[in-house]
Amino acid sequence: MQTPIRHLAPLLPHAGSMILLDEIVAYSDSQLQALARIGPDHLFLDENGQLPMWCAIEIMAQGVAALAGCHAHDAGQPPKLGFLLGSRQIDILRPTVAQGSLLCVQVEASTRDEASGFGVFDCRLSLLHEPGDANTDSAETVATARLSVFSPPDIEHYLQEQIA
C-alpha cells in the first residue's frame, strides 16, 4: 500500500471512535509510524480537555495492530484479532497531553513468532510540536513501552478452545 494511509478501518479490528490512529505515515516488514490527532471529540478526553497518558498504551497497541493489518492487507487477508498480553516496561513521561495535540507512534518488532502468534514490540509515543511534521527528531517522547502481544494463527479455533 502507498503511504500515507488515512482510511484505517479496513486495517484494524476496531470500529468507530475506538480507532485512535488517524494516519499511517510509513511501514515496513518490522516497523510502523502512525499519527494520532487529539481532537475535541476524542473518546478519552477528560473533563479538562486533556488526554490522560494511560491511553498511550492503547495508542501504541493500535500501532502494533496497524502494522499487522498492513501486512494482512498486503497478503489479501482481513485484519486479525490480537491480544495485548502486557508489558515488561512502560514509561509514561507526562500525565496528559492537550486537546489539539498531534502524537506520533512508532512500533518496531523486537521478537515475532509467526507460528505461535506471539510477538514483542518496542514502542514510542511522541508529541509533535509542528503540526503536519512527522519528523520525530524534534518531538518530545511522552511514553515508551515494550508490548507483548498474541495473535493466534487460527483465532476461531483458539476461541473455541478457551470456551470448552
Side-chain angles (χ1 to χ4, degrees):
M1 284 183 294
Q2 295 274 52
T3 55
I5 302 166
R6 294 187 177 96
H7 183 58
L8 302 186
L11 303 176
L12 293 167
H14 300 76
S17 62
M18 196 54 212
I19 296 176
L20 303 181
L21 302 179
D22 292 290
E23 177 179 322
I24 296 171
V25 176
Y27 75 97
S28 67
D29 181 52
S30 61
Q31 300 178 355
L32 177 130
Q33 182 178 9
L35 300 176
R37 290 174 183 80
I38 312 306
D41 58 345
H42 194 283
L43 182 62
F44 295 112
L45 287 181
D46 67 17
E47 65 277 357
N48 299 315
Q50 301 284 312
L51 180 71
M53 279 293 86
W54 54 260
C55 293
I57 298 165
E58 177 60 25
I59 295 169
M60 290 186 282
Q62 284 194 22
V64 172
L67 178 59
C70 288
H71 293 160
H73 182 274
D74 289 346
Q77 300 172 353
K80 291 174 46 177
L81 185 63
F83 304 98
L84 173 61
L85 299 178
S87 179
R88 287 186 172 175
Q89 171 187 337
I90 298 173
D91 290 317
I92 305 292
L93 303 173
R94 65 184 306 173
T96 62
V97 295
Q99 175 186 319
S101 295
L102 180 62
L103 298 172
C104 178
V105 61
Q106 296 171 286
V107 301
E108 181 173 2
S110 171
T111 304
R112 277 193 297 195
D113 180 5
E114 298 292 330
S116 68
F118 285 99
V120 177
F121 290 81
D122 295 319
C123 305
R124 176 181 171 199
L125 189 63
S126 303
L127 177 61
L128 300 178
H129 295 291
E130 295 294 324
D133 180 15
N135 179 3
T136 58
D137 293 339
S138 63
E140 174 191 350
T141 300
V142 296
T144 60
R146 178 169 258 200
L147 300 181
S148 300
V149 300
F150 175 55
S151 181
D154 184 349
I155 188 70
E156 294 299 325
H157 177 69
Y158 174 78
L159 292 175
Q160 287 302 320
E161 283 184 342
Q162 301 311 305
I163 294 172

